[in-house]
Amino acid sequence: MNPEQLTEQIGHRLRMLRKERGFTLEQLAEKTGVSKPMLGQIERGESNPTVVTLWKIASGLHVPFSAFLDAPGGRATVVRKREQAIVTDEDGRYSVQSLLADRRAVSTDLYQITLLPGCAHHAEAHGAHVTEGIWVQSGSLTLLLGEETHVLQEGDALSFQAECDHTYANAGNEACVYIVLLTYLPS
């Protein structure tokens, strides 16, 4: 999916979700902490939101991050590499690639993240009913969870309740590539 198609898809999904809930742009701005003008630009496909902005919107609407990225599925969901949406942040040094989203019994999202050397990305809490699992494919990842610091090397894994702010950092000299599995438990 090219960037223009992704921007259009995100805008369409945002408008659809907002209208389903009966929110005005002003009400949605209050719920998400994203300004009304920015939300309008996103809905019209004039602005491609950053990862942080999209997380704020998803959290405010109580939907998974991938609700803006995935294609509607049927019995089986096949996502071809060319269709996997990629959203960037930190001036392009942090990218999130949506690998797979499953909305059956329990909603899950699977992402591949690339964090370039020297980049640190702060993520706000995802909610009380969200767990996050991380598996490092290559490089080294430092994960800050409140007062805890976890350094993960290639092949290491970690899981946690994502109800707190957390920071992913790459202090190494090579790109860190890791997989994130988000599980959204029913409230």
Side-chain angles (χ1 to χ4, degrees), residues 113-131:
I113 312 289
T114 302
L115 191 61
L116 296 182
C119 183
H121 179 77
H122 178 76
E124 294 183 4
H126 302 323
H129 301 285
V130 180
T131 60

Side-chain angles (χ1 to χ4, degrees), residues 98-180:
S98 179
L99 300 175
L100 181 66
D102 188 349
R103 301 281 172 263
R104 290 174 257 244
V106 175
S107 291
T108 58
D109 295 335
L110 183 65
Y111 298 102
Q112 178 176 316
I113 312 289
T114 302
L115 191 61
L116 296 182
C119 183
H121 179 77
H122 178 76
E124 294 183 4
H126 302 323
H129 301 285
V130 180
T131 60
E132 184 166 335
I134 296 173
W135 177 68
V136 177
Q137 286 183 292
S138 63
S140 175
L141 175 69
T142 301
L143 179 67
L144 306 170
L145 291 171
E147 300 296 317
E148 300 175 29
T149 300
H150 301 275
V151 178
L152 305 174
Q153 303 297 330
E154 184 175 323
D156 291 346
L158 173 142
S159 66
F160 63 98
Q161 288 298 122
E163 58 191 11
C164 63
D165 288 3
H166 45 286
T167 301
Y168 313 96
N170 180 355
N173 295 323
E174 63 181 75
C176 176
V177 179
Y178 56 102
I179 300 294
V180 172

Side-chain angles (χ1 to χ4, degrees), residues 83-98:
E83 299 168 343
Q84 295 171 357
I86 299 174
V87 181
T88 62
D89 213 344
E90 310 299 338
D91 297 320
R93 297 179 305 140
Y94 177 85
S95 64
V96 177
Q97 181 174 356
S98 179

Side-chain angles (χ1 to χ4, degrees), residues 9-77:
Q9 177 177 303
I10 290 171
H12 175 75
R13 297 267 172 85
L14 175 57
R15 186 177 317 105
M16 181 187 71
L17 289 166
R18 178 178 62 81
K19 288 185 176 187
E20 279 178 1
R21 288 159 174 73
F23 294 154
T24 64
L25 281 173
E26 188 172 316
Q27 290 169 321
L28 186 58
E30 290 174 17
K31 293 191 174 298
T32 62
V34 177
S35 73
K36 179 181 169 182
M38 175 57 74
L39 290 168
Q41 290 173 359
I42 295 168
E43 277 195 7
R44 291 188 302 274
E46 297 170 358
S47 178
N48 192 11
T50 64
V51 173
V52 172
T53 300
L54 205 52
W55 265 113
K56 286 181 179 181
I57 295 169
S59 294
L61 287 170
H62 303 290
V63 298
F65 181 82
S66 66
F68 299 100
L69 307 177
D70 61 355
R75 175 177 284 222
T77 302

